[in-house]
Amino acid sequence: MTGGERVEVRTASGVVRGEWVRGVAVFRGIPYARPPVGPRRFAAPVPVLPWDGVRDASEFGPSVPQKGWAGADSGDCLTLNVWSPELGAVRLPVLVWIHGGAYLEGESSNPHHDGALLAAAGAVVVSMNYRTGVEGFAHITGAPDNRGLLDQAAALRWVQDSVAAFGGDPGRVTVSGQSAGAGSVAALLVMPSAAGLFQRAIAQSVPGTYFAPRLAAAISASIAAEVGAAATTDELSAITPRALIDATGAVIAKMPDAVESWGPVALTPTPFSPVVDGDVLPCAPWQALADGAAGGVDVLVGHTRDEFRLFNPHRGTVTDAELTATLHRLAPGIDYRTAYPDATNAELYETVNADWLFRMPSLHLAAAQHAGRGRAWLYELCWSFNRDEGASHSLDALLVFGTLGADEVREHPTAHPNAAAEVSGVGHAMRTDWLRFATTGDPGWPPYDPRARPTRVYAATPGTQCYPEETSRRLWSTHRFVPLDLLGE
């Protein structure tokens, strides 16, 4: 098929009609759960009701409530999309994508996460919307924690029930995500309700922020107070999603003032993270993996070199006082100044933020999986296409999906001379390795072990070497990533 032809597939809930686009069958906006409205607004997702007839699947579903959202209520937002190169009983590997967005925003219609190129290379690709912000991650009395994670698990159950009709193999499902999506993947690895729903996992830039219930409750109480309510289902159910979005924005603006109570999360751009509630998420991923919670799941995990460059407000000068405060908040007892004697204050500021938020949590996830007798593979993206951003957060996702074009690279004002010629090759290498992993469980280089620490390094010419960030690794070698809690109580 070349394009424009309509095609129908019967799912477990009913028939959907998509279309062939340049050799890939595309289905958009398929509901996997009932709309989270009314009594279901702050509840665990409920399976979608079956429908009669044929449901059109040519348009993406509406986004979940978030900044810039124009909806009147949550609506029919719990939907997913499927790209497949071949329909029927062909049993292709399945790659399920969970978008990032600080647990605050994001949508599966993002054109940078178009699954067509990955699908054309030989996989069924699925992406989903899930509840974010207050709707998905606030700690609300009377509601289950981690509703966004429960949505993701519901979508994975839909995959188990229906993906075979789209050419997928429900026994070869890889769940993947980047940033908050990677944090979600790490949580799903150890969630009892997600056990058995996937066989492999890819986590790109795992954030180290998971909340203890007390911290989550304090943050949610602050957001609810902005609208004159308590953080309970009874009171928040009467508040519109739009009002809670605005209230969240107001709290984000004031978060730095709460650092003495909320700790380092107050220095991040989001008030949300998965809550280690002892039920939906019984334990922080690192400890649970080390205890063997996902020993039978293969894990590919890594990060970019310059994880914090995009978020860094101090690209120029950082005072001694600013650096000292940051080191005290994020890495108490770790001597960055001695370890990096030639680094400027600004470079140290960026390095410690990158290490604390993404680089070391990702490295430690591989180590924890190995400790739990599971297999893990480690990577780092070092390639970049411009001087300003470096190998930035999210760049690996653009390369894997192949949605960063040579023209876009070439037109950047600080583009490297050869970057436009290199981008397709680096993307192809990553995409090939990701698909090899989804297909066979082995991306093509030795699995992680704590002695050699083999790491696939994606540069203009990819290669495998010992983990590149050795200085930071040593600094954080005895650290344990545990749930963040309130300070001074």
Side-chain angles (χ1 to χ4, degrees):
M1 300 288 182
T2 56
E5 297 93 341
R6 306 291 276 171
V7 59
E8 296 180 3
V9 168
R10 179 172 293 278
T11 74
S13 302
V15 178
V16 293
R17 180 186 294 126
E19 61 182 339
W20 288 96
V21 181
R22 293 185 294 278
V24 172
V26 185
F27 301 81
R28 306 178 182 92
I30 304 173
Y32 66 85
R34 296 177 66 182
V37 297
R40 294 187 298 274
R41 181 178 173 191
F42 296 118
V46 177
V48 66
L49 293 173
W51 59 84
D52 296 322
V54 178
R55 185 183 183 102
D56 180 69
S58 61
E59 301 291 337
F60 290 109
S63 67
V64 301
Q66 58 189 281
K67 184 178 180 180
W69 179 72
D73 57 37
S74 298
D76 196 5
C77 62
L78 298 184
T79 63
L80 51 76
N81 320 296
V82 182
W83 290 262
S84 178
E86 189 173 356
L87 304 176
V90 291
R91 302 185 72 82
L92 295 168
V94 180
L95 194 64
V96 180
W97 174 253
I98 302 175
H99 67 73
Y103 306 105
L104 189 65
E105 59 191 6
E107 53 192 342
S108 66
S109 60
N110 184 340
H112 286 299
H113 299 161
D114 186 293
L117 195 58
L118 275 167
V124 176
V125 179
V126 179
S127 67
M128 70 184 78
N129 285 339
Y130 60 93
R131 282 173 286 181
T132 58
V134 170
E135 310 294 321
F137 287 96
H139 178 83
I140 301 172
T141 301
D145 281 320
N146 303 307
R147 296 170 298 280
L149 298 179
L150 292 172
D151 291 346
Q152 296 162 13
L156 286 165
R157 281 190 288 274
W158 181 96
V159 168
Q160 287 296 310
D161 293 340
S162 295
V163 80
F166 295 87
D169 182 353
R172 277 196 302 172
V173 174
T174 300
V175 63
S176 62
Q178 185 267 340
S179 195
S184 297
V185 169
L188 289 165
L189 279 165
V190 303
M191 283 170 50
S193 62
L197 297 179
F198 55 94
Q199 293 70 44
R200 292 158 195 151
I202 302 174
Q204 303 174 210
S205 303
V206 180
T209 54
Y210 293 76
F211 291 172
R214 292 192 313 166
L215 175 59
I219 293 172
S220 296
S222 294
I223 294 171
E226 291 286 332
V227 293
T232 67
T233 53
D234 286 344
E235 295 201 24
L236 292 187
S237 292
I239 308 298
T240 65
R242 165 53 57 196
L244 292 178
I245 293 166
D246 292 342
T248 299
V251 168
I252 290 173
K254 296 184 288 188
M255 279 173 58
D257 298 333
V259 69
E260 297 297 332
S261 176
W262 293 0
V265 69
L267 305 177
T268 73
T270 178
F272 300 113
S273 282
V275 181
V276 181
D277 62 344
D279 181 19
V280 175
L281 185 56
C283 186
W286 299 271
Q287 183 61 57
L289 290 178
D291 291 341
V297 180
D298 295 325
V299 176
L300 172 59
V301 59
H303 58 76
T304 70
R305 183 190 59 209
D306 305 308
E307 285 281 7
F308 197 68
R309 186 74 55 84
L310 290 178
F311 312 114
N312 190 356
H314 300 292
R315 296 252 185 121
T317 301
V318 175
T319 67
D320 286 341
E322 288 170 334
L323 178 59
T324 297
T326 299
L327 292 172
H328 173 71
R329 300 291 185 196
L330 303 185
I334 297 179
D335 190 353
Y336 267 83
R337 287 186 168 101
T338 299
Y340 290 96
D342 297 325
T344 66
N345 282 2
E347 289 167 342
L348 287 177
Y349 177 87
E350 183 171 307
T351 299
V352 69
N353 273 281
D355 285 345
W356 174 77
L357 189 54
F358 295 117
R359 300 201 311 183
M360 295 304 105
S362 299
L363 172 66
H364 283 215
L365 200 79
Q369 179 66 348
H370 179 272
R373 300 184 182 278
R375 298 198 305 170
W377 285 264
L378 188 62
Y379 80 89
E380 176 172 316
L381 175 65
C382 291
W383 182 85
S384 67
F385 69 94
N386 72 82
R387 183 179 66 252
D388 292 341
E389 298 167 2
S392 66
H393 188 69
S394 301
L395 179 58
D396 53 349
L398 303 183
L399 293 168
V400 169
F401 279 97
T403 52
L404 177 65
D407 287 343
E408 185 177 356
V409 169
R410 189 179 296 109
E411 291 168 4
H412 194 280
T414 64
H416 298 310
N418 297 322
E422 295 169 351
V423 62
S424 63
V426 179
H428 177 76
M430 296 188 75
R431 193 160 49 253
T432 298
D433 291 345
W434 266 229
L435 289 169
R436 183 186 296 116
F437 178 74
T439 302
T440 69
D442 185 339
W445 63 92
Y448 177 87
D449 75 76
R451 295 170 301 279
R453 296 182 294 281
T455 306
R456 188 67 166 173
V457 175
Y458 293 99
T461 301
T464 302
Q465 65 182 74
C466 190
Y467 180 63
E469 312 307 331
E470 174 61 15
T471 300
S472 290
R473 186 200 67 79
R474 285 190 286 103
L475 290 176
W476 290 79
S477 61
T478 61
H479 181 82
R480 297 295 175 263
F481 285 95
V482 298
L484 302 176
D485 207 345
L486 290 174
L487 300 182
E489 295 190 16

